[in-house]
């Protein structure tokens, strides 16, 4: 069988799967599940075109990794065939541990189980299945390989993951201002003392990348309507979980039912293969199927939340720089209780509060973007620029939100 396939990517055009191992990984059931998990969760409530999947993104990141490796080789960086394949395998599998609706349900279905740890566990399982072929890829993914620039290409403040999701998400949402200029950034990559750096002439491209990232976070990922929708689905899952664990019947697919009724920890996840098998069959369709069932549930709170999400009858959301006053929150709960004829404890379930924050660049982080000056010095990108933009973009912006049913207004 010819395993060196070509696929047509709407963002990059024709892309080649270069080795048989990468083809076999893509064909595996763990990876195929990513076809059924949307990259941007509930963002399609605001941007109707945002229907692409984690499968799309992983293939795109693998493609950008191949371009980056080719650029580095052309500049004299010694990269063996095994290292190149391992780096592409690491970026291909970096999101394999994502649960349904991507980040939205990471903490409401599972207990203290994070997708990065699940990804690593799945990679180790695949490594066993592929007779140790992923040893080097796992070392690169974990950052333990002796050549750090490989890990930086997979996970850093300027990695192939970020370049692809900004490229792809701006394409599918139609937010053209979010395009990060990935082609030029990749062409400017080089390696100094086994660390990934960019040539000095890329400094304005770095600024463009960081501005694009800041814009995409506030205009897409943390858009206030998206935040409202995501908080609603999180509360739906929390309510269903609490009801199920309290003895109330909450219909769901067998695999979703399993996680709703059990407090699965990371340790259990890694030691019980039946849990892993259930997780590998869990995707967005389980969640949407359950939400459709719960729209007719006897519990008023669960029924209202589920029906509202199905109809895109989203909660009113208000943002401000300071936390919301406790008396104001109590007033909202009283209005909800009166309107829906609910006891205060249940009414509180229909008010959602929290905070969102973002800084486009962590200038003091250990994975800061480094620039090779014309004098041969390696400096932080914030120091390399003659404009204040990069330092300004490193400042964290934080907003507090409160969400509640529009009917009480």
């Amino acid at each position: 069988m010819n395993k060196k396939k070509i696929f047509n990517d709407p963002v990059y055009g024709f892309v080649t799967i270069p080795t048989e191992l990468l083809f076999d990984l893509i064909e595996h059931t763990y990876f195929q599940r990513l076809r059924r998990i949307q990259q941007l969760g509930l963002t399609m409530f605001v941007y109707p075109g945002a229907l692409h999947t984690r499968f799309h993104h992983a293939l795109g990141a693998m493609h950008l990794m191949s371009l980056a490796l080719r650029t580095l080789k052309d500049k004299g960086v010694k990269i063996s065939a095994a290292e190149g394949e391992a780096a592409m395998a690491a970026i291909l599998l970096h999101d394999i541990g994502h649960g349904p609706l991507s980040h939205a349900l990471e903490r409401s279905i599972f207990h203290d189980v994070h997708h990065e740890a699940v990804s690593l566990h799945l990679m180790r399982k695949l490594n066993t299945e592929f007779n140790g072929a992923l040893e080097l890829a796992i070392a690169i993914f974990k950052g333990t390989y002796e050549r750090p620039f490989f890990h930086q290409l997979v996970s850093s403040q300027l990695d192939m993951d970020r370049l692809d999701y900004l490229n792809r998400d701006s394409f599918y949402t139609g937010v053209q201002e979010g395009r990060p200029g990935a082609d030029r950034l990749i062409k400017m990559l080089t390696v100094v003392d086994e660390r990934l750096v960019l040539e000095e002439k890329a400094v304005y491209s770095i600024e463009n990348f960081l501005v694009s990232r800041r814009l995409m976070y506030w205009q897409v990922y943390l858009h206030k309507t998206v935040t409202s929708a995501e908080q609603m689905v999180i509360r739906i899952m929390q309510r269903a979980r609490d009801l199920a664990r309290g003895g109330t019947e909450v219909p769901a697919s067998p695999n979703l039912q399993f996680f709703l009724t059990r407090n699965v920890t990371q340790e259990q996840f890694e030691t019980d293969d039946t849990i892993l098998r259930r997780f590998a069959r869990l995707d967005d369709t389980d969640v949407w199927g359950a939400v459709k069932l719960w729209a007719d549930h006897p519990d008023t709170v669960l029924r209202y939340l589920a029906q509202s999400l199905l109809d895109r009858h989203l909660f009113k959301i208000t943002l401000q720089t300071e936390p919301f006053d406790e008396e104001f929150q109590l007033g909202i709960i009283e209005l909800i209780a009166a309107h829906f004829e609910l006891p205060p404890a249940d009414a509180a379930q229909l008010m959602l509060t929290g905070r969102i924050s973002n800084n486009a660049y962590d200038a003091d982080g250990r994975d800061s973007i480094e620039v090779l000056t014309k004098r041969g010095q390696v400096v932080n990108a914030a120091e390399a620029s003659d404009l204040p933009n990069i330092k300004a973009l490193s400042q964290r912006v934080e907003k507090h939100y409160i969400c509640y049913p529009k009917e009480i207004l």
Side-chain angles (χ1 to χ4, degrees), residues 162-171 173-182 208-217 219-221:
R162 293 188 185 195
L163 287 180
D164 181 77
Y165 75 63
L166 290 174
N167 245 346
R168 192 166 301 277
D169 297 347
S170 63
F171 176 88
T173 57
V175 181
Q176 295 300 319
E177 304 90 337
R179 295 184 72 85
N208 176 64
F209 162 72
L210 295 176
V211 169
S212 298
R213 189 165 186 267
R214 168 63 63 85
L215 186 147
M216 285 294 288
Y217 265 86
Q219 195 166 326
V220 178
Y221 309 132

Side-chain angles (χ1 to χ4, degrees), residues 6-15:
I6 294 174
F7 63 90
N8 193 351
D9 184 277
V11 179
Y12 305 121
F14 290 106
V15 172

Side-chain angles (χ1 to χ4, degrees), residues 206-248:
I206 296 170
E207 289 184 4
N208 176 64
F209 162 72
L210 295 176
V211 169
S212 298
R213 189 165 186 267
R214 168 63 63 85
L215 186 147
M216 285 294 288
Y217 265 86
W218 290 118
Q219 195 166 326
V220 178
Y221 309 132
L222 300 178
H223 187 288
K224 67 176 187 176
T225 306
V226 174
T227 299
S228 174
E230 288 185 346
Q231 293 306 311
M232 285 177 70
V233 78
I234 289 170
R235 182 54 54 86
I236 287 171
M237 283 298 153
Q238 290 172 340
R239 183 69 173 183
R241 181 192 62 195
D242 292 345
L243 289 171
R245 293 179 188 177
T248 301

Side-chain angles (χ1 to χ4, degrees), residues 270-312:
E270 294 181 2
T271 55
D272 187 343
D273 283 347
T274 61
I275 294 176
L276 181 63
R277 282 197 296 273
R278 288 185 177 277
F279 173 82
R281 293 177 179 172
L282 199 63
D283 54 51
D284 290 5
T285 55
D286 294 87
V287 173
W288 284 114
V291 170
K292 288 168 70 176
L293 290 172
W294 299 341
D296 295 314
H297 197 275
D299 180 74
T300 303
V301 172
L302 183 61
R303 181 176 66 249
Y304 174 78
L305 284 167
Q307 189 62 56
S308 296
L309 192 68
L310 287 176
D311 295 341
R312 199 191 176 278

Side-chain angles (χ1 to χ4, degrees), residues 87-279:
M88 297 219 303
I91 196 71
L92 185 71
L93 301 176
H94 77 285
D95 273 348
I96 201 169
H98 264 292
L101 296 181
S102 296
H103 293 284
L105 298 182
E106 191 167 354
R107 291 177 180 82
S108 55
I109 291 182
F110 313 114
H111 174 70
D112 199 27
V113 179
H114 303 289
H115 76 270
E116 294 92 346
V118 177
S119 292
L120 181 57
H121 181 56
L122 286 170
M123 287 174 73
R124 286 171 172 155
K125 286 289 183 182
L126 287 168
N127 187 45
T128 301
E129 193 172 327
F130 284 86
N131 301 314
L134 295 177
E135 288 288 346
L136 183 52
I138 291 171
I140 289 172
F141 181 80
K142 291 169 59 181
T144 57
Y145 185 51
E146 60 191 18
R147 306 184 75 185
F149 77 86
F150 283 111
H151 176 71
Q152 289 178 285
L153 287 168
V154 174
S155 179
S156 67
Q157 292 197 69
L158 184 60
D159 54 33
M160 299 308 104
D161 173 31
R162 293 188 185 195
L163 287 180
D164 181 77
Y165 75 63
L166 290 174
N167 245 346
R168 192 166 301 277
D169 297 347
S170 63
F171 176 88
Y172 279 98
T173 57
V175 181
Q176 295 300 319
E177 304 90 337
R179 295 184 72 85
D183 291 346
R184 177 166 172 79
L185 285 167
I186 288 173
K187 289 293 184 185
M188 296 297 106
L189 289 173
T190 189
V191 171
V192 175
D193 296 330
E194 300 296 340
R195 297 281 301 173
L196 193 68
V197 300
L198 289 113
E199 297 170 8
E200 187 174 12
K201 56 188 174 183
V203 69
Y204 297 121
S205 297
I206 296 170
E207 289 184 4
N208 176 64
F209 162 72
L210 295 176
V211 169
S212 298
R213 189 165 186 267
R214 168 63 63 85
L215 186 147
M216 285 294 288
Y217 265 86
W218 290 118
Q219 195 166 326
V220 178
Y221 309 132
L222 300 178
H223 187 288
K224 67 176 187 176
T225 306
V226 174
T227 299
S228 174
E230 288 185 346
Q231 293 306 311
M232 285 177 70
V233 78
I234 289 170
R235 182 54 54 86
I236 287 171
M237 283 298 153
Q238 290 172 340
R239 183 69 173 183
R241 181 192 62 195
D242 292 345
L243 289 171
R245 293 179 188 177
T248 301
E249 184 179 351
V250 181
S253 68
N255 294 314
L256 181 57
Q257 186 76 248
F258 178 87
F259 288 103
L260 287 176
T261 55
R262 290 166 178 80
N263 199 20
V264 177
T265 64
Q266 184 72 43
E267 183 181 1
Q268 291 172 319
F269 201 99
E270 294 181 2
T271 55
D272 187 343
D273 283 347
T274 61
I275 294 176
L276 181 63
R277 282 197 296 273
R278 288 185 177 277
F279 173 82

